[in-house]
Amino acid sequence: MLIAIVLSFVSVPLGVMAQYIIKEADVQFELYNYSEAIKLYEQAWKKKPTVRTARRLAFCNQIQQNYQQRESWAALAAVRVDREPEDVLNYAKALQENGKYSEAKIQYQQYKQLRPDTSPVLTSRWIQSCDSALKWMKEPRSIQIVNQTVLNSPQSEWAAVSKGNSIIFVSNRNQMPALEKAKVPFLKFDGKKMPDENIDGYLGHRYFSLYFKNGADSVKIFPLEAGIGYHVGPASFTGDGRQMFFAMARIPENSKGAKLKILDGKLVTATVGIYQVTKDANGNWGKPEAFKYNGQAYSNTDPYISNDGRYLYFVSNRAGGVGGTDIYVSAKNNAGEWGAPINLREINTEGNERTPAFDLANHFYFSSDGYVGMGGLDNYVANMKNGQLVSLPQNLGYPLNSPQDDFAFTFDSSSAGYFASNRIGGLGEDDIYHFAQKAEGAYRLSGVVYQKGTRLPLAMALGTLRNSNGEKMQVETDASGKYSFSLDAQSNYELTFEKTGFGSEVVSVETKEVPLVITQLVRDLFLEKIQLNKSIRIENIYYTFDHAYITPAAAIELDKLVTLMKENPTIWIEIESHTDSRGNARYNLELSQRRAEAVVQYLANKGIDKSRLTAIGYGETKLVNDCADGVKCSVEAHQLNRRTEFKIVKQ
């Protein structure tokens, strides 16, 4: 009976097994358990690749902010014969998200051909955004951007405001255990079970709260008695610091003050509103007072109060707006009452506008995803006076904007301040960055990126320059494969170039020992084209007869493969192990499998995720010479067959 069960299981087609896994993956997907869903969808892909699986993996990795993996899976979905036009659009956005603007432009143009009924304004903005981003990256502003590690955590920090010696900001730090299966969507409840008062069921984190850091002191919770607020923040202060306006999400109440329950079987959603508090004579914040124009059918958030307290700018998704979220302004009259909110239609787009703020010179800053930009939310500036637009919004360019979300732009002096971003390389999901003007670099680094083995120049290769302080700059190679960066004196840099379909290369660049009379540094790089499903021999990986352990000499070569996989985090490989013909054929097959698994385990011990590795033993079925059974060969000839190869099966 046991044998029959095993044989029955083995006979199940891979496609059927993939369906079993996909069903479980879909369950985890619907529960917002994206990390577990990714693992299951990857298993399903190995058994039966489908466009739906690749599509789901692209989406899950986007939610997890793993932008490289998102691009990899979006590419696999976009090239399949059963793709949808939206798969091409998703791939274009993934490329743009990773700063590959030239390649993204090609995909946007292809989508435009596949969907000719798409709004020409929208497609034009996508393509213009790619062209503009390339220009801004080629001519970056002389701005120093530093991640504020003393404020940031592995979760989200944003909306930093400088007030005196303190910095006040929003965070959902101190991650708590996620709710069971994370079944509760963001701030929705069914009347039978209220939302958890500590944990956001959608993210599995604490709710957003206000925090502050005073000088050299540690980060602390902001002293505000807000009651039960499911999210609190961001905040804005009047010039004298006596009044604070902040956003807060509360469960709706009816006219009698009771918590709303399920209505006609429909879920009730908590909305975000703006509240005001005033500091008393003892320096304590009073009881929050709700803004007159809060509502239960829409949210108000991102308040900015003018220094004199007369104008309140905020963001809302109320009916009658221009786009998703719009910026509004409400003016206070002489009686101290707030006037009806006015939509800043000259600013707002069909997209989303967020985080309004002013600098000391009365320039108006905000973020938007509805203009020509680098990707996601970008920071913009315009001139406003008494709520009226004086000049058209201008993109702040690179590096103040990036391919990801950049928002919450504020000043702590006339030329420096803070903004938030989820750009690649940060400490958490959203990080707070400080910006300031800096002098032009002392050196110019330039060179050409070639295809390895051909010396053909590679256009559209993306270069990333990182210094030891964590600052990052990017640029694409031109049609001749050329690039250039500005370098500071007395600095260490790591330069990486990558291109779709090629492996990456990393080189170090130092300016500590370079005389200032030398202003030009040259580094050429060579990228190797990735060939899928081509077996590549790993040199010097030989095994002692009848053994599967990794020799010291083999470890040196395998470390090169570790480097390759770390520099190219999206590739999957198959490890193929082979034996010579001596011994029993079945035993050799098992021995080769153990050898392949030994290599996989070595790579895993070096930090390579096992999901990217597959071990296959071929035994003596693929000899490289004539040393088959019955053929007399030397020890050296037999050893040539005891080899290990790898092939890239996904990039």
Side-chain angles (χ1 to χ4, degrees):
M1 178 62 72
L2 179 60
I3 294 176
I5 292 174
V6 173
L7 290 176
S8 175
F9 177 76
V10 172
S11 66
V12 175
L14 289 178
V16 176
M17 292 176 65
Q19 287 301 315
Y20 294 153
I21 299 172
I22 285 175
K23 286 183 180 180
E24 180 57 29
D26 288 344
V27 170
Q28 299 303 319
F29 183 90
E30 296 300 328
L31 294 175
Y32 311 107
N33 195 354
Y34 296 116
S35 295
E36 189 62 29
I38 287 172
K39 296 177 185 176
L40 292 165
Y41 283 129
E42 286 179 345
Q43 292 178 34
W45 177 268
K46 287 182 178 180
K47 296 184 183 301
K48 185 181 179 180
T50 67
V51 67
R52 181 181 183 274
T53 300
R55 194 180 292 145
R56 281 288 174 96
L57 280 163
F59 180 85
C60 290
N61 278 287
Q62 179 187 13
I63 296 297
Q64 297 283 309
Q65 296 189 6
N66 192 331
Y67 300 111
Q68 289 177 308
Q69 292 292 349
R70 184 209 175 180
E71 178 192 327
S72 175
W73 290 110
L76 289 170
V79 299
R80 293 188 66 85
V81 294
D82 54 343
R83 72 182 183 191
E84 298 290 337
E86 279 62 36
D87 293 316
V88 176
L89 177 61
N90 187 38
Y91 182 38
K93 291 181 177 180
L95 288 165
Q96 182 178 8
E97 214 165 45
N98 282 316
K100 298 179 179 180
Y101 291 105
S102 295
E103 293 183 52
K105 179 179 177 180
I106 293 171
Q107 297 300 320
Y108 280 130
Q109 291 171 329
Q110 184 175 356
Y111 176 76
K112 182 179 179 181
Q113 294 176 348
L114 295 171
R115 280 274 192 262
D117 57 337
T118 303
S119 165
V121 174
L122 190 59
T123 54
S124 175
R125 187 173 78 232
W126 290 335
I127 293 171
Q128 286 183 52
S129 291
C130 293
D131 290 337
S132 296
L134 288 169
K135 179 178 181 295
W136 294 326
M137 290 169 69
K138 191 174 181 180
E139 303 170 358
R141 299 178 61 174
S142 295
I143 299 287
Q144 181 182 49
I145 295 176
V146 179
N147 187 300
Q148 299 300 282
T149 55
V150 296
L151 303 179
N152 295 320
S153 76
Q155 282 74 56
S156 289
E157 282 74 34
W158 56 287
V161 178
S162 179
K163 204 66 183 172
N165 292 326
S166 294
I167 300 173
I168 300 94
F169 61 96
V170 180
S171 175
N172 62 347
R173 61 183 56 220
N174 299 327
Q175 184 174 7
M176 300 288 287
L179 293 176
E180 181 71 21
K181 297 293 188 180
K183 293 180 181 178
V184 184
F186 171 55
L187 289 179
K188 291 188 178 181
F189 58 99
D190 60 7
K192 298 176 183 177
K193 182 178 180 181
M194 300 292 282
D196 189 285
E197 293 182 4
N198 296 307
I199 303 169
D200 180 340
Y202 181 78
L203 298 173
H205 295 173
R206 283 183 180 271
Y207 293 108
F208 284 110
S209 297
L210 284 174
Y211 290 80
F212 78 105
K213 187 178 187 304
N214 191 4
D217 294 345
S218 60
V219 171
K220 299 176 182 178
I221 193 76
F222 190 81
L224 175 68
E225 295 295 331
I228 297 179
Y230 287 88
H231 285 292
V232 178
S236 178
F237 299 82
T238 53
D240 59 11
R242 302 288 301 173
Q243 290 185 314
M244 178 177 74
F245 291 75
F246 65 97
M248 179 166 60
R250 279 181 165 174
I251 293 177
E253 298 178 347
N254 61 21
S255 58
K256 297 181 180 180
K259 301 290 184 185
L260 286 177
K261 302 227 175 176
I262 191 167
L263 300 176
D264 300 326
K266 297 180 180 179
L267 294 173
V268 178
T269 303
T271 56
V272 181
I274 293 173
Y275 295 80
Q276 172 188 346
V277 289
T278 302
K279 187 178 289 186
D280 62 24
N282 297 320
N284 299 317
W285 295 105
K287 182 180 179 181
E289 300 177 10
F291 179 49
K292 178 179 180 180
Y293 297 99
N294 288 343
Q296 294 181 1
Y298 55 85
S299 289
N300 296 330
T301 188
D302 297 354
Y304 179 84
I305 185 68
S306 60
N307 282 339
D308 59 11
R310 292 186 56 201
Y311 296 94
L312 177 63
Y313 294 82
F314 64 95
V315 170
S316 181
N317 63 347
R318 63 184 56 213
V322 178
T325 56
D326 286 2
I327 298 175
Y328 292 79
V329 61
S330 179
K332 184 185 288 187
N333 61 24
N334 293 332
E337 297 179 347
W338 290 106
I342 298 174
N343 188 301
L344 299 184
R345 294 185 177 275
E346 296 160 301
I347 289 283
N348 295 318
T349 68
E350 72 276 11
N352 298 285
E353 278 65 51
R354 293 289 307 271
T355 59
F358 282 86
D359 67 5
L360 299 177
N362 211 39
H363 297 112
F364 183 61
Y365 293 84
F366 65 98
S367 59
S368 174
D369 61 11
Y371 290 92
V372 170
M374 296 193 70
L377 291 168
D378 273 19
N379 292 306
Y380 294 83
V381 61
N383 285 336
M384 296 281 292
K385 186 175 182 180
N386 297 328
Q388 298 296 315
L389 183 69
V390 177
S391 67
L392 293 176
Q394 299 292 319
N395 190 292
L396 293 185
Y398 185 74
L400 289 172
N401 289 317
S402 73
Q404 286 78 47
D405 288 326
D406 302 278
F407 57 104
F409 199 86
T410 60
F411 282 82
D412 63 355
S413 69
S414 60
S415 61
Y418 299 94
F419 70 98
S421 178
N422 64 346
R423 58 184 59 192
I424 296 173
L427 183 63
E429 295 165 356
D430 294 304
D431 279 5
I432 295 170
Y433 292 83
H434 188 267
F435 68 89
Q437 298 288 332
K438 72 172 184 178
E440 293 288 342
Y443 306 98
R444 198 73 187 170
L445 172 67
S446 61
V448 179
V449 179
Y450 296 99
Q451 180 176 340
K452 189 175 182 179
T454 67
R455 288 196 68 88
L456 294 174
L458 288 177
M460 300 189 297
L462 178 65
T464 303
L465 184 74
R466 293 181 177 86
N467 68 11
S468 55
N469 296 325
E471 290 184 82
K472 182 180 76 171
M473 298 296 290
Q474 291 185 304
V475 73
E476 275 193 20
T477 55
D478 62 16
S480 301
K482 296 179 180 178
Y483 74 91
S484 66
F485 285 102
S486 177
L487 302 182
D488 296 329
Q490 301 297 309
S491 297
N492 294 330
Y493 294 91
E494 180 184 86
L495 175 63
T496 305
F497 265 95
E498 60 182 298
K499 179 177 170 62
T500 301
F502 290 79
S504 61
E505 184 178 4
V506 183
V507 298
S508 297
V509 181
E510 295 187 12
T511 60
K512 289 186 177 181
E513 304 297 330
V514 179
L516 289 176
V517 292
I518 300 175
T519 59
Q520 297 289 330
L521 302 179
V522 178
R523 291 288 189 281
D524 293 339
L525 293 94
F526 302 86
L527 306 187
E528 187 168 3
K529 189 171 181 61
I530 293 176
Q531 299 185 55
L532 293 178
N533 300 309
K534 177 186 177 182
S535 294
I536 302 171
R537 188 182 187 118
I538 308 176
E539 297 299 333
N540 301 319
I541 306 295
Y542 299 113
Y543 299 91
T544 304
F545 177 66
D546 200 33
H547 287 85
Y549 60 80
I550 304 298
T551 66
I556 295 174
E557 298 303 319
L558 289 178
D559 285 343
K560 297 176 183 178
L561 187 55
V562 170
T563 300
L564 171 68
M565 296 200 72
K566 287 185 176 180
E567 291 179 353
N568 300 273
T570 64
I571 66 172
W572 287 2
I573 66 171
E574 285 184 359
I575 299 296
E576 304 171 340
S577 186
H578 307 265
T579 68
D580 59 37
S581 62
R582 292 176 293 178
N584 179 273
R586 178 165 182 169
Y587 175 81
N588 283 339
L589 192 64
E590 294 171 350
L591 175 61
S592 65
Q593 184 65 31
R594 293 201 307 273
R595 288 174 171 173
E597 290 171 357
V599 173
V600 166
Q601 189 59 52
Y602 181 89
L603 298 176
N605 292 342
K606 291 288 186 175
I608 305 302
D609 194 319
K610 276 192 174 182
S611 66
R612 302 171 60 195
L613 308 168
T614 301
I616 300 179
Y618 286 98
E620 58 185 82
T621 61
K622 294 187 176 183
L623 302 175
V624 296
N625 52 32
D626 296 328
C627 296
D629 290 335
V631 177
K632 187 176 181 179
C633 288
S634 66
V635 173
E636 293 76 16
H638 279 302
Q639 184 167 280
L640 290 174
N641 289 313
R642 297 196 302 273
R643 69 196 188 278
T644 293
E645 299 172 332
F646 77 93
K647 63 182 179 183
I648 299 172
V649 295
K650 171 192 165 292
Q651 64 181 11

PDB file of all heavy atoms in Angstrom, residues 380-402:
ATOM      1  N   TYR A 380       8.038  69.121  -5.705  1.00  0.00           N
ATOM      2  CA  TYR A 380       7.894  70.252  -6.625  1.00  0.00           C
ATOM      3  C   TYR A 380       7.872  71.555  -5.833  1.00  0.00           C
ATOM      4  O   TYR A 380       7.610  71.564  -4.624  1.00  0.00           O
ATOM      5  CB  TYR A 380       6.591  70.133  -7.430  1.00  0.00           C
ATOM      6  CG  TYR A 380       6.565  68.956  -8.377  1.00  0.00           C
ATOM      7  CD1 TYR A 380       6.216  67.692  -7.917  1.00  0.00           C
ATOM      8  CD2 TYR A 380       6.904  69.107  -9.717  1.00  0.00           C
ATOM      9  CE1 TYR A 380       6.205  66.600  -8.774  1.00  0.00           C
ATOM     10  CE2 TYR A 380       6.897  68.022 -10.575  1.00  0.00           C
ATOM     11  CZ  TYR A 380       6.547  66.770 -10.100  1.00  0.00           C
ATOM     12  OH  TYR A 380       6.547  65.687 -10.950  1.00  0.00           O
ATOM     13  N   VAL A 381       8.142  72.657  -6.535  1.00  0.00           N
ATOM     14  CA  VAL A 381       8.099  73.975  -5.926  1.00  0.00           C
ATOM     15  C   VAL A 381       7.350  74.933  -6.841  1.00  0.00           C
ATOM     16  O   VAL A 381       7.426  74.833  -8.074  1.00  0.00           O
ATOM     17  CB  VAL A 381       9.524  74.517  -5.637  1.00  0.00           C
ATOM     18  CG1 VAL A 381      10.329  74.659  -6.931  1.00  0.00           C
ATOM     19  CG2 VAL A 381       9.471  75.827  -4.876  1.00  0.00           C
ATOM     20  N   ALA A 382       6.582  75.834  -6.224  1.00  0.00           N
ATOM     21  CA  ALA A 382       5.875  76.886  -6.966  1.00  0.00           C
ATOM     22  C   ALA A 382       5.819  78.115  -6.068  1.00  0.00           C
ATOM     23  O   ALA A 382       6.066  78.039  -4.860  1.00  0.00           O
ATOM     24  CB  ALA A 382       4.466  76.433  -7.341  1.00  0.00           C
ATOM     25  N   ASN A 383       5.516  79.252  -6.640  1.00  0.00           N
ATOM     26  CA  ASN A 383       5.343  80.473  -5.863  1.00  0.00           C
ATOM     27  C   ASN A 383       3.858  80.687  -5.576  1.00  0.00           C
ATOM     28  O   ASN A 383       3.032  80.661  -6.494  1.00  0.00           O
ATOM     29  CB  ASN A 383       5.899  81.691  -6.605  1.00  0.00           C
ATOM     30  CG  ASN A 383       7.411  81.735  -6.580  1.00  0.00           C
ATOM     31  OD1 ASN A 383       8.039  81.162  -5.698  1.00  0.00           O
ATOM     32  ND2 ASN A 383       8.003  82.422  -7.556  1.00  0.00           N
ATOM     33  N   MET A 384       3.532  80.850  -4.305  1.00  0.00           N
ATOM     34  CA  MET A 384       2.150  81.093  -3.885  1.00  0.00           C
ATOM     35  C   MET A 384       2.113  82.373  -3.053  1.00  0.00           C
ATOM     36  O   MET A 384       3.055  82.691  -2.331  1.00  0.00           O
ATOM     37  CB  MET A 384       1.643  79.933  -3.038  1.00  0.00           C
ATOM     38  CG  MET A 384       1.557  78.607  -3.755  1.00  0.00           C
ATOM     39  SD  MET A 384       0.089  78.468  -4.789  1.00  0.00           S
ATOM     40  CE  MET A 384      -1.188  78.436  -3.550  1.00  0.00           C
ATOM     41  N   LYS A 385       1.006  83.090  -3.167  1.00  0.00           N
ATOM     42  CA  LYS A 385       0.808  84.280  -2.350  1.00  0.00           C
ATOM     43  C   LYS A 385      -0.660  84.380  -1.986  1.00  0.00           C
ATOM     44  O   LYS A 385      -1.526  84.441  -2.869  1.00  0.00           O
ATOM     45  CB  LYS A 385       1.256  85.535  -3.102  1.00  0.00           C
ATOM     46  CG  LYS A 385       1.214  86.795  -2.233  1.00  0.00           C
ATOM     47  CD  LYS A 385       1.790  88.001  -2.976  1.00  0.00           C
ATOM     48  CE  LYS A 385       1.792  89.225  -2.091  1.00  0.00           C
ATOM     49  NZ  LYS A 385       2.356  90.418  -2.787  1.00  0.00           N
ATOM     50  N   ASN A 386      -0.931  84.342  -0.672  1.00  0.00           N
ATOM     51  CA  ASN A 386      -2.308  84.396  -0.175  1.00  0.00           C
ATOM     52  C   ASN A 386      -3.199  83.350  -0.837  1.00  0.00           C
ATOM     53  O   ASN A 386      -4.342  83.614  -1.207  1.00  0.00           O
ATOM     54  CB  ASN A 386      -2.901  85.799  -0.385  1.00  0.00           C
ATOM     55  CG  ASN A 386      -2.164  86.859   0.390  1.00  0.00           C
ATOM     56  OD1 ASN A 386      -1.637  86.594   1.469  1.00  0.00           O
ATOM     57  ND2 ASN A 386      -2.118  88.065  -0.157  1.00  0.00           N
ATOM     58  N   GLY A 387      -2.615  82.155  -1.004  1.00  0.00           N
ATOM     59  CA  GLY A 387      -3.402  81.062  -1.573  1.00  0.00           C
ATOM     60  C   GLY A 387      -3.513  81.089  -3.076  1.00  0.00           C
ATOM     61  O   GLY A 387      -4.200  80.250  -3.663  1.00  0.00           O
ATOM     62  N   GLN A 388      -2.846  82.032  -3.742  1.00  0.00           N
ATOM     63  CA  GLN A 388      -2.926  82.148  -5.195  1.00  0.00           C
ATOM     64  C   GLN A 388      -1.590  81.743  -5.829  1.00  0.00           C
ATOM     65  O   GLN A 388      -0.521  82.128  -5.353  1.00  0.00           O
ATOM     66  CB  GLN A 388      -3.277  83.582  -5.605  1.00  0.00           C
ATOM     67  CG  GLN A 388      -4.630  84.052  -5.091  1.00  0.00           C
ATOM     68  CD  GLN A 388      -5.777  83.243  -5.668  1.00  0.00           C
ATOM     69  OE1 GLN A 388      -5.827  82.963  -6.860  1.00  0.00           O
ATOM     70  NE2 GLN A 388      -6.711  82.849  -4.796  1.00  0.00           N
ATOM     71  N   LEU A 389      -1.666  80.985  -6.924  1.00  0.00           N
ATOM     72  CA  LEU A 389      -0.481  80.524  -7.623  1.00  0.00           C
ATOM     73  C   LEU A 389       0.136  81.669  -8.423  1.00  0.00           C
ATOM     74  O   LEU A 389      -0.545  82.351  -9.186  1.00  0.00           O
ATOM     75  CB  LEU A 389      -0.852  79.376  -8.566  1.00  0.00           C
ATOM     76  CG  LEU A 389       0.309  78.724  -9.323  1.00  0.00           C
ATOM     77  CD1 LEU A 389       1.196  77.947  -8.362  1.00  0.00           C
ATOM     78  CD2 LEU A 389      -0.233  77.786 -10.398  1.00  0.00           C
ATOM     79  N   VAL A 390       1.440  81.895  -8.232  1.00  0.00           N
ATOM     80  CA  VAL A 390       2.152  82.952  -8.937  1.00  0.00           C
ATOM     81  C   VAL A 390       2.994  82.379 -10.069  1.00  0.00           C
ATOM     82  O   VAL A 390       3.127  82.986 -11.134  1.00  0.00           O
ATOM     83  CB  VAL A 390       3.041  83.758  -7.962  1.00  0.00           C
ATOM     84  CG1 VAL A 390       3.837  84.831  -8.712  1.00  0.00           C
ATOM     85  CG2 VAL A 390       2.185  84.392  -6.879  1.00  0.00           C
ATOM     86  N   SER A 391       3.595  81.186  -9.868  1.00  0.00           N
ATOM     87  CA  SER A 391       4.399  80.557 -10.911  1.00  0.00           C
ATOM     88  C   SER A 391       4.051  79.081 -11.001  1.00  0.00           C
ATOM     89  O   SER A 391       3.604  78.466 -10.026  1.00  0.00           O
ATOM     90  CB  SER A 391       5.897  80.726 -10.616  1.00  0.00           C
ATOM     91  OG  SER A 391       6.262  79.984  -9.465  1.00  0.00           O
ATOM     92  N   LEU A 392       4.258  78.487 -12.176  1.00  0.00           N
ATOM     93  CA  LEU A 392       3.944  77.085 -12.384  1.00  0.00           C
ATOM     94  C   LEU A 392       4.892  76.188 -11.583  1.00  0.00           C
ATOM     95  O   LEU A 392       6.052  76.540 -11.350  1.00  0.00           O
ATOM     96  CB  LEU A 392       4.045  76.750 -13.875  1.00  0.00           C
ATOM     97  CG  LEU A 392       3.008  77.413 -14.782  1.00  0.00           C
ATOM     98  CD1 LEU A 392       3.296  77.066 -16.244  1.00  0.00           C
ATOM     99  CD2 LEU A 392       1.600  76.973 -14.405  1.00  0.00           C
ATOM    100  N   PRO A 393       4.421  75.019 -11.162  1.00  0.00           N
ATOM    101  CA  PRO A 393       5.270  74.107 -10.382  1.00  0.00           C
ATOM    102  C   PRO A 393       6.481  73.633 -11.183  1.00  0.00           C
ATOM    103  O   PRO A 393       6.394  73.369 -12.380  1.00  0.00           O
ATOM    104  CB  PRO A 393       4.320  72.940 -10.058  1.00  0.00           C
ATOM    105  CG  PRO A 393       2.950  73.513 -10.174  1.00  0.00           C
ATOM    106  CD  PRO A 393       3.027  74.535 -11.258  1.00  0.00           C
ATOM    107  N   GLN A 394       7.612  73.525 -10.497  1.00  0.00           N
ATOM    108  CA  GLN A 394       8.844  73.033 -11.098  1.00  0.00           C
ATOM    109  C   GLN A 394       9.340  71.818 -10.322  1.00  0.00           C
ATOM    110  O   GLN A 394       9.369  71.827  -9.088  1.00  0.00           O
ATOM    111  CB  GLN A 394       9.928  74.121 -11.078  1.00  0.00           C
ATOM    112  CG  GLN A 394       9.564  75.367 -11.866  1.00  0.00           C
ATOM    113  CD  GLN A 394       9.494  75.104 -13.360  1.00  0.00           C
ATOM    114  OE1 GLN A 394      10.327  74.383 -13.912  1.00  0.00           O
ATOM    115  NE2 GLN A 394       8.503  75.691 -14.012  1.00  0.00           N
ATOM    116  N   ASN A 395       9.742  70.772 -11.051  1.00  0.00           N
ATOM    117  CA  ASN A 395      10.311  69.585 -10.420  1.00  0.00           C
ATOM    118  C   ASN A 395      11.670  69.938  -9.812  1.00  0.00           C
ATOM    119  O   ASN A 395      12.469  70.627 -10.439  1.00  0.00           O
ATOM    120  CB  ASN A 395      10.456  68.467 -11.455  1.00  0.00           C
ATOM    121  CG  ASN A 395      10.811  67.129 -10.840  1.00  0.00           C
ATOM    122  OD1 ASN A 395      11.892  66.928 -10.320  1.00  0.00           O
ATOM    123  ND2 ASN A 395       9.874  66.201 -10.919  1.00  0.00           N
ATOM    124  N   LEU A 396      11.929  69.470  -8.584  1.00  0.00           N
ATOM    125  CA  LEU A 396      13.182  69.796  -7.910  1.00  0.00           C
ATOM    126  C   LEU A 396      14.374  69.028  -8.468  1.00  0.00           C
ATOM    127  O   LEU A 396      15.513  69.275  -8.072  1.00  0.00           O
ATOM    128  CB  LEU A 396      13.064  69.536  -6.406  1.00  0.00           C
ATOM    129  CG  LEU A 396      12.100  70.450  -5.645  1.00  0.00           C
ATOM    130  CD1 LEU A 396      12.162  70.161  -4.159  1.00  0.00           C
ATOM    131  CD2 LEU A 396      12.400  71.914  -5.909  1.00  0.00           C
ATOM    132  N   GLY A 397      14.124  68.081  -9.378  1.00  0.00           N
ATOM    133  CA  GLY A 397      15.219  67.412 -10.066  1.00  0.00           C
ATOM    134  C   GLY A 397      15.935  66.387  -9.222  1.00  0.00           C
ATOM    135  O   GLY A 397      15.506  65.992  -8.140  1.00  0.00           O
ATOM    136  N   TYR A 398      17.071  65.936  -9.755  1.00  0.00           N
ATOM    137  CA  TYR A 398      17.874  64.878  -9.145  1.00  0.00           C
ATOM    138  C   TYR A 398      19.068  65.491  -8.426  1.00  0.00           C
ATOM    139  O   TYR A 398      19.627  66.462  -8.924  1.00  0.00           O
ATOM    140  CB  TYR A 398      18.365  63.942 -10.255  1.00  0.00           C
ATOM    141  CG  TYR A 398      19.110  62.725  -9.793  1.00  0.00           C
ATOM    142  CD1 TYR A 398      18.438  61.663  -9.199  1.00  0.00           C
ATOM    143  CD2 TYR A 398      20.491  62.641  -9.943  1.00  0.00           C
ATOM    144  CE1 TYR A 398      19.132  60.543  -8.771  1.00  0.00           C
ATOM    145  CE2 TYR A 398      21.181  61.519  -9.526  1.00  0.00           C
ATOM    146  CZ  TYR A 398      20.498  60.477  -8.939  1.00  0.00           C
ATOM    147  OH  TYR A 398      21.179  59.365  -8.515  1.00  0.00           O
ATOM    148  N   PRO A 399      19.410  65.051  -7.212  1.00  0.00           N
ATOM    149  CA  PRO A 399      18.960  63.852  -6.506  1.00  0.00           C
ATOM    150  C   PRO A 399      17.881  64.076  -5.453  1.00  0.00           C
ATOM    151  O   PRO A 399      17.633  63.181  -4.645  1.00  0.00           O
ATOM    152  CB  PRO A 399      20.248  63.379  -5.846  1.00  0.00           C
ATOM    153  CG  PRO A 399      20.956  64.657  -5.493  1.00  0.00           C
ATOM    154  CD  PRO A 399      20.637  65.617  -6.604  1.00  0.00           C
ATOM    155  N   LEU A 400      17.261  65.272  -5.423  1.00  0.00           N
ATOM    156  CA  LEU A 400      16.187  65.487  -4.456  1.00  0.00           C
ATOM    157  C   LEU A 400      14.985  64.611  -4.779  1.00  0.00           C
ATOM    158  O   LEU A 400      14.162  64.334  -3.903  1.00  0.00           O
ATOM    159  CB  LEU A 400      15.787  66.958  -4.437  1.00  0.00           C
ATOM    160  CG  LEU A 400      16.825  67.895  -3.813  1.00  0.00           C
ATOM    161  CD1 LEU A 400      16.439  69.341  -4.020  1.00  0.00           C
ATOM    162  CD2 LEU A 400      17.014  67.597  -2.337  1.00  0.00           C
ATOM    163  N   ASN A 401      14.872  64.191  -6.033  1.00  0.00           N
ATOM    164  CA  ASN A 401      13.867  63.202  -6.428  1.00  0.00           C
ATOM    165  C   ASN A 401      14.570  61.951  -6.938  1.00  0.00           C
ATOM    166  O   ASN A 401      15.725  61.999  -7.357  1.00  0.00           O
ATOM    167  CB  ASN A 401      12.935  63.779  -7.492  1.00  0.00           C
ATOM    168  CG  ASN A 401      12.013  64.843  -6.924  1.00  0.00           C
ATOM    169  OD1 ASN A 401      11.467  64.684  -5.838  1.00  0.00           O
ATOM    170  ND2 ASN A 401      11.852  65.946  -7.650  1.00  0.00           N
ATOM    171  N   SER A 402      13.845  60.855  -6.926  1.00  0.00           N
ATOM    172  CA  SER A 402      14.403  59.554  -7.299  1.00  0.00           C
ATOM    173  C   SER A 402      13.330  58.772  -8.050  1.00  0.00           C
ATOM    174  O   SER A 402      12.196  59.239  -8.192  1.00  0.00           O
ATOM    175  CB  SER A 402      14.828  58.788  -6.036  1.00  0.00           C
ATOM    176  OG  SER A 402      13.686  58.312  -5.333  1.00  0.00           O
TER     177      SER A 402
END
